Every structure is written in C-alpha cells, then in structure tokens.
Amino acid sequence: MIRAVVFDVGECLVDETREYGTWADWLGVPRHTFAAMFGAVIAQGRDYRETFQEFRPGFDLTEEREKRAATGKPEWFGEDDLYPDVRPTLAALREAGLWVGIAGNQTVRAGGLLRGLDLPSDMIATSDDWGASKPDVRFFERVIEATPAEPGEILYVGDRLDNDIRPAVQAGLLTALIRRGPWGTIQQRDPDADAITTMRIDSLTELPERIAKFNAEGR
C-alpha cells in the first residue's frame, strides 16, 4: 500500500526555466547556448553544475548565489513557475487520505519560497535543512524519518534517475519517474527508467488513479 507521496522540487513541481535563464544572464551567456551546454553535460552523465565551469572555470555556485543576492538578484520562483498539475494533484492526493511531502535538493531560501506558496502538503524540507543532499542515501533516510509510513509505503516522485530514483530505490522506497524537464527527457530511454521504477508518468495528474490502482492490486 502507498500511504505517503513525497515530491522532488525542480522539474517535478517547479519549472526551472526562469531560474536557469537568469543564471545564463548572470554569466553573460545567451540563454539558448547555456541551455544547450546544460543538456550536453547531462547527456554525458556529468554533474549539471559542471555547466557553469564550461563558461567560467572555477565558478563556485554557493558563492555566486550570495553575490546575486547581494546585488538584488537572488534565486526566486513563484506561483507562475509551478507546473499547472501541481496544486490539483497535491490536493487530490490529500483528499484521498494520503500523506503528502515535498523534499528536494534546495537551499534554505528556496524552502522559504516553497512554504510561502502554501501548497497542499504535510511537510516541506530541503537538503540544506537536513544537511544531506541527493543522491546520498542519507537524504532518503531523512525522508523516511520525517514520513509517517514505512519505506515500502512511501512513493518518491522525481524527474531524475541518478538523483531521485536509484538512491530512493536503494533506500527501500517506491518510485515514480516523471517524463519532463531536461533530465526526464534525456534519461527516459535508460533501461532503469522501466526496470527499477514502480511507475512512470507524463503528468502528476496521473498519480491519484495510478496509486489507487496500485493499492487495490495490493489488497
């Protein structure tokens, strides 16, 4: 039985087009050039942060975030950056009696922005809050500690095989891989996309029905 659903943030709930566009602007790089390099780095199996190094060797993301904030251009996202299926899906899951959490690799500031959106959820946590970042299994151990369900009753929803699905499975969680965003698109033909996931979805709106069917078959 799935009793709890926990969502990743970037490209699962939040469309990061705006954020990466502002990073391109900060670097003084055309947005389409930054996006192309971003995709190339992901396709090569490298850490997305290496994209910044391609344009500015020695780039320190944490330091640059602080510089952006100091100049009045901090990281930011709002209601318009949420994918349109987010609110209705989270609300539907809670109405169905499921516990709903949000946990991803995000800064303390991003966590504050998420909480300010008043999403229908029971928990919002970030890697900065927990001192553990995906794909470290410790992150998913914190998810388990924070969720009122057993590991095999928790469905973690994410867009990345490397950061979300594989380590969540290693921690004993069920998983849903959503096909959207750079990673969800580039990694969709990896054999693990079908082999190790509990389910694959194209939209969050599929979740209430898919979960209900999964639970019915498990009875």
Side-chain angles (χ1 to χ4, degrees), residues 20-218:
Y20 286 119
T22 59
W23 276 115
D25 297 343
W26 182 255
L27 288 166
V29 175
R31 290 189 174 197
H32 72 282
T33 301
F34 184 88
M37 180 58 71
F38 192 94
V41 167
I42 293 171
Q44 292 166 12
R46 298 158 61 193
D47 189 306
Y48 81 96
R49 288 169 290 193
E50 293 183 41
T51 305
F52 298 93
Q53 302 295 329
E54 294 289 342
F55 298 109
R56 189 185 297 174
F59 185 93
D60 185 310
L61 186 56
T62 300
E63 182 178 312
E64 295 297 324
R65 280 196 181 113
E66 294 174 355
K67 288 181 180 178
R68 281 185 56 173
T71 59
K73 299 177 181 179
E75 61 176 331
W76 186 86
F77 56 81
E79 187 70 30
D80 290 345
D81 299 296
L82 292 177
Y83 280 104
D85 54 6
V86 172
R87 283 193 181 278
T89 298
L90 268 59
L93 292 173
R94 293 186 86 193
E95 288 170 8
L98 292 157
W99 188 91
V100 175
I102 297 170
N105 278 359
Q106 301 290 329
T107 62
V108 170
R109 175 181 172 79
L113 294 173
L114 280 169
R115 294 181 183 97
L117 292 173
D118 194 26
L119 293 166
S121 64
D122 298 289
M123 175 197 74
I124 294 177
T126 71
S127 54
D128 271 10
D129 295 333
W130 286 343
S133 301
K134 297 180 292 183
D136 192 325
V137 174
R138 288 182 299 170
F139 176 92
F140 293 95
E141 290 172 349
R142 295 300 301 271
V143 168
I144 294 167
E145 290 171 5
T147 305
E150 296 301 312
E153 299 173 331
I154 303 169
L155 182 73
Y156 191 80
V157 185
D159 64 299
R160 296 179 59 173
L161 280 170
D162 53 345
N163 252 33
D164 301 326
I165 304 303
R166 291 190 183 110
V169 169
Q170 185 179 347
L173 276 60
L174 303 176
T175 59
L177 178 64
I178 187 166
R179 300 182 185 95
R180 69 178 170 205
W183 286 274
T185 301
I186 292 170
Q187 298 177 345
Q188 66 174 313
R189 291 181 178 84
D190 186 299
D192 276 355
D194 290 311
I196 68 172
T197 55
T198 306
M199 61 185 75
R200 296 186 69 186
I201 56 175
D202 293 304
S203 169
L204 297 181
T205 55
E206 299 172 40
L207 282 173
E209 183 176 346
R210 295 286 298 273
I211 291 171
K213 181 179 179 181
F214 180 92
N215 286 347
E217 291 174 348

Side-chain angles (χ1 to χ4, degrees), residues 4-36:
V5 187
V6 181
F7 293 86
D8 175 38
V9 179
E11 295 307 329
C12 183
L13 304 183
V14 176
D15 181 339
E16 296 180 308
T17 300
R18 180 208 300 267
E19 181 63 11
Y20 286 119
T22 59
W23 276 115
D25 297 343
W26 182 255
L27 288 166
V29 175
R31 290 189 174 197
H32 72 282
T33 301
F34 184 88

